[in-house]
Amino acid sequence: MEFVIAKDELIRALARVQGIVEKRSTNPIIANVLLEVGEDGMKVAATDTEVSFVGRYACEAARPGRLTLGARQLYDIARLVPTDTVSFNLPEGSLQMEITSGKSFFKILGLSADEFPAVPEPGEEAGVLLPMASIRELIDKTLFSISSDDTRTGLNGAYVEAKELEDGTVMRFVATDGHRLSLCGRPFTGSFGEGRSLLLPKKGLAELRKLIDDGDGDWTANFGDTQASFRRGSICFSMRLLEGDFPDYEQVVPSSWQRRVMVQRDAMIAALRRVSILASEKSHPVRFAIINGGVTVTARQPETGEAHEEVEAQVEGTDLEIGFNARYFRDALAALSTDVVMLEIGDSLSPCLIKPGDGNSDELFVIMPMRLE
Amino acid sequence: MSERWPRIVLHADMDAFYAAVEQLDDPSLRGKPLLVGPNSGRGVVLTASYAARPFGVGSAMPMSKAKRLCPQAIVVPPRFDRYSEISKQVMSVFGDFSPDVEPLSLDEAFLEMSGAERIFGGPLEMGRKLKEAVKEATGGLTVSVGVSATKYVAKVASDFRKPDGLTVVHPDEVKDWLAPLSVRALWGVGPKTGERLAALGLDKIGDVAAADFDWLKRVLGDNGGTHLYRLANGQDARRVQRSRRMRSIGSERTLAEDVSDRAVIQEHLRSSAASIGRRLRRKSWLARGVRVKLKTASFQLMTRQRVLDPPTDVGDQLYKAAVPLLDAFEYTEPFRLVGLAAYDLVRPDDPLQLDLFAGGPTKKRKAEETMDSIRERFGKDAVQRAENLGKGSWEGPNLDYQE
């Protein structure tokens, strides 16, 4: 294999895969990136066997070939070489890649490409068309609620289903860690499959999220029995579907309320940030005193002190004191985009519903309160 | 007298603490109306001296309003470092009276005084001595003290004759003593609930105590009704909590023979988990984490741990969380020691994140509580889990520990 590639193009290709390769595995090849050069340019692939990435990049190919190389090391080289183009040469039958840039020379030992796990390639098949804004919002509004507790496998991913609403069908992502829940539906075209649902893993969604802002354009998604793949242009990102049962989420979305609070989102976020300085770092407990005209947020720790702040709000219903993890509340508020948000609360032990103030889009957040003394 | 006290709980609350510290440091302020707080239009009063209070000034009132009500008041900006310094002196005095001091803020704390009569005398004497000691250590600050058999009544009592008060409520007199007080003195009753109770014809604590329990639950909800009824009748089982974190309860055994069989290790874990659960419940702790410890034949110590969510005091939950941790060890040689520990202990009334999806270990806990009480009456071997029947006892000595 022999080729010359622009430094920027090489950095772009390798930056994508740094979050995907797995350095702590007993199988060393998945810490590597696969380089495969043909007439149509260079294919770059990386996988941790759960999520994988394939992208095509431009290069001047002199002689085709393939090899895997340590992804981190190669990235560091790409970033630091002194020239705008970099030459690669792999002598026939060798596993040592020679890299030349100006007066710099590297020779690094790779692992045979034959050992590299198969990864799904970008295809041309039809799938679900997801506008860039849709996929971005679906992930941004749910990713933070996905559980990281690996003993609750059903909660380690976003639950995906198609939902028919009054003004059309949306693709809906739902995520929960058992304490809070995020739900977001966004328009798509194509067929997802009636009554179908699946779980997309957290790492896969986090990596996909990074790719979204890295280019422009809509995504085509294909949902297979064990894999989901997302394509845009010459890149394809795929992830293995999670197995596990997602709980009946609709049952925990409150359908009635006893107090409804309309509040400025920014003001509430700012107050929570200030007050939670004095909240315990472990679970950030704060107390909301909801009275006519406002919400007073209080944090108190016997050893350090206390803080409180009143936030103006329109309140319907009777007064209430209720405790929350300030972090959960801020996450939900930050994920909303309207200036005004609506909180619907039952009593101090029931879930709180948080929605956009205009009530327009298919999105909501549910937070279970904390029991405070 | 004092043998009729099931517990002795003391609540100590410094009088107008911030203002008193300012007056201590600057004698020219003594006896004068004094407001501690930021001297700006938007600030609130943190503490008002007793000379300012007859004007209707109180803490949390906007400074602008307080100055209108009491124009002659002197406003002093707060010096938290100084308050904290004095607070340490005060807490240190409390520590001389009891090993179990639960501070609620810089200027108030509960002290568990059960069993301390022989050192300090009866409840009244304890209160007197504490007040003297605080005054002496701080150079003149006064503290109001309430003593009773529960945290709740002790706290109400310390507020009863402020400032410089001392109120002892004998457990036999609690109901009568509480009865004429306003329902607002019930823990958890704010202005709103107060109005609600008044509308139900409940003005005094005695009205709540005498109300029909089922009716109370119906009108106030199960939790609210039970809570207020108990308090009104002087029942409050909350303990004085010394420290809230950094503790663990564990159990480990050095085995007579090294083992490599996972099933055997699991058996040891189950038995340790049951014993740890029992001790957690007895001391009212919940564990937020569980840790498995294995020592190899060549004395290499390995531990694996995980967070428990929700926190638990149920042996079965500890065991179920511990077993998957065994997957994370390497089994290259046999083990000579198996240990289990519950760590990151919290109290049942610490802030607790509630779960969205209902269901939990309630049933298992009931079963284990029943086993606890059987063992208490008939001895350790009186009851066993079916899985453990016919299995011999431990090979090595049991090293139960607390740290």
Side-chain angles (χ1 to χ4, degrees), chain A residues 149 151-152 176 178-181 247 252 282 285 300 302 319 325 328 349 351 366 368-373, chain B residues 44 103-106 108 187 192 223 238 245 288 306 309 344 348-357:
Chain A
D149 179 352
T151 60
R152 300 172 98 167
T176 180
H179 298 153
R180 46 152 164 200
L181 179 141
V252 299
K282 208 158 235 173
R300 179 166 191 254
D319 297 357
N325 179 329
Y328 292 171
L349 302 177
V366 182
M368 203 57 190
M370 292 189 84
R371 195 195 62 201
L372 305 178
E373 191 175 318
Chain B
V44 296
L104 298 176
S105 61
L106 286 178
E108 63 175 310
W187 162 46
K192 214 69 197 181
N223 288 338
R238 289 176 301 154
R245 254 173 225 115
R288 284 171 43 142
R306 58 168 292 209
D309 178 25
D344 198 357
D349 57 0
D350 279 347
L352 173 74
Q353 175 63 53
L354 302 171
D355 242 310
L356 259 181
F357 303 93

Side-chain angles (χ1 to χ4, degrees), chain A residues 195-206:
Chain A
R196 173 131 202 248
S197 67
L198 49 87
L199 282 173
L200 296 179
K202 187 173 192 171
K203 177 177 178 183
L205 290 172

Side-chain angles (χ1 to χ4, degrees), chain B residues 249-319:
Chain B
I249 291 182
S251 170
E252 58 189 50
R253 323 236 167 181
T254 300
L255 312 171
E257 266 173 46
D258 294 348
V259 297
S260 11
D261 184 359
R262 248 186 84 147
V264 178
I265 296 172
Q266 260 174 247
E267 250 174 62
H268 287 294
L269 290 181
R270 184 191 283 286
S271 169
S272 288
S275 133
I276 293 169
R278 218 152 40 232
R279 284 185 292 147
L280 287 169
R281 289 191 294 280
R282 200 162 58 217
K283 299 188 178 289
S284 6
W285 289 111
L286 297 171
R288 284 171 43 142
V290 65
R291 178 159 53 225
V292 174
K293 190 178 190 180
L294 296 179
K295 196 186 270 175
T296 66
S298 57
F299 289 87
Q300 198 197 340
L301 187 66
M302 302 189 285
T303 61
R304 299 288 183 271
Q305 63 185 48
R306 58 168 292 209
V307 170
L308 295 168
D309 178 25
T312 187
D313 60 2
V314 180
D316 195 64
Q317 298 295 119
L318 296 171
Y319 173 71

Side-chain angles (χ1 to χ4, degrees), chain A residues 20 39 50 89 105 109 114 122 199 210 215 253 272 288 291 327 331 357:
Chain A
I20 297 168
E39 280 169 11
E50 300 290 326
N89 180 37
F105 176 79
L109 182 63
D114 298 338
L199 282 173
K210 293 183 199 163
V253 176
L272 282 168
F288 283 28
I291 53 166
R327 166 108 251 161
D331 284 347

Side-chain angles (χ1 to χ4, degrees), chain A residues 296-316:
Chain A
T296 301
V297 186
T298 309
R300 179 166 191 254
Q301 274 188 102
E303 314 88 60
T304 41
E306 69 172 81
H308 56 86
E309 178 162 345
E310 189 184 325
V311 185
E312 274 179 41
Q314 245 178 286
V315 178
E316 290 172 70

Side-chain angles (χ1 to χ4, degrees), chain A residues 77-287:
Chain A
I77 291 172
R79 283 186 308 150
L80 295 175
V81 288
T83 52
D84 291 341
T85 58
V86 192
S87 307
F88 285 75
N89 180 37
L90 180 69
E92 278 310 328
S94 165
L95 291 177
Q96 289 196 327
M97 179 72 88
E98 298 165 8
I99 304 170
T100 314
S101 161
K103 292 174 183 166
S104 307
F105 176 79
F106 304 85
K107 183 150 85 177
I108 50 179
L109 182 63
L111 290 166
S112 165
D114 298 338
E115 311 291 323
F116 200 76
V119 293
E121 301 266 346
E124 291 303 319
E125 67 268 43
V128 171
L129 192 73
L130 281 163
M132 181 163 156
S134 286
I135 182 74
R136 184 195 284 138
E137 288 191 322
L138 284 169
I139 297 177
D140 282 348
K141 289 173 195 286
T142 56
L143 186 64
F144 62 88
S145 287
I146 298 176
S147 172
S148 299
D149 179 352
D150 53 17
T151 60
R152 300 172 98 167
T153 44
L155 306 187
N156 294 152
Y159 176 84
V160 182
E161 64 178 1
K163 196 81 188 169
E164 260 180 65
L165 302 177
E166 276 170 24
D167 46 359
T169 307
V170 295
M171 172 163 296
R172 198 183 254 184
F173 277 30
V174 189
T176 180
D177 59 10
H179 298 153
R180 46 152 164 200
L181 179 141
S182 293
L183 178 156
C184 176
R186 288 294 178 265
F188 71 103
T189 47
S191 166
F192 181 73
E194 205 175 325
R196 173 131 202 248
S197 67
L198 49 87
L199 282 173
L200 296 179
K202 187 173 192 171
K203 177 177 178 183
L205 290 172
E207 289 302 322
L208 175 59
R209 179 66 188 84
K210 293 183 199 163
L211 292 174
I212 290 171
D213 284 342
D214 203 35
D216 212 6
D218 299 340
W219 289 76
T220 304
N222 285 88
F223 299 98
D225 291 335
T226 58
Q227 292 273 342
S229 63
F230 296 83
R231 283 181 283 130
R232 178 172 69 186
S234 62
I235 62 174
C236 175
F237 182 80
S238 55
M239 57 188 98
R240 185 188 295 175
L241 302 183
L242 269 186
E243 285 174 28
D245 290 324
F246 195 77
D248 179 6
Y249 72 87
E250 286 182 314
Q251 161 218 322
V252 299
V253 176
S255 50
S256 63
W257 52 271
Q258 286 166 280
R259 288 97 187 161
R260 177 183 271 170
V261 180
M262 300 281 272
V263 66
Q264 290 288 332
R265 191 174 65 100
D266 289 348
M268 194 70 190
I269 291 176
L272 282 168
R273 289 178 76 144
R274 284 188 283 264
V275 169
S276 57
I277 295 170
L278 270 287
S280 138
E281 281 178 24
K282 208 158 235 173
S283 51
H284 315 281
V286 294
R287 187 185 300 273

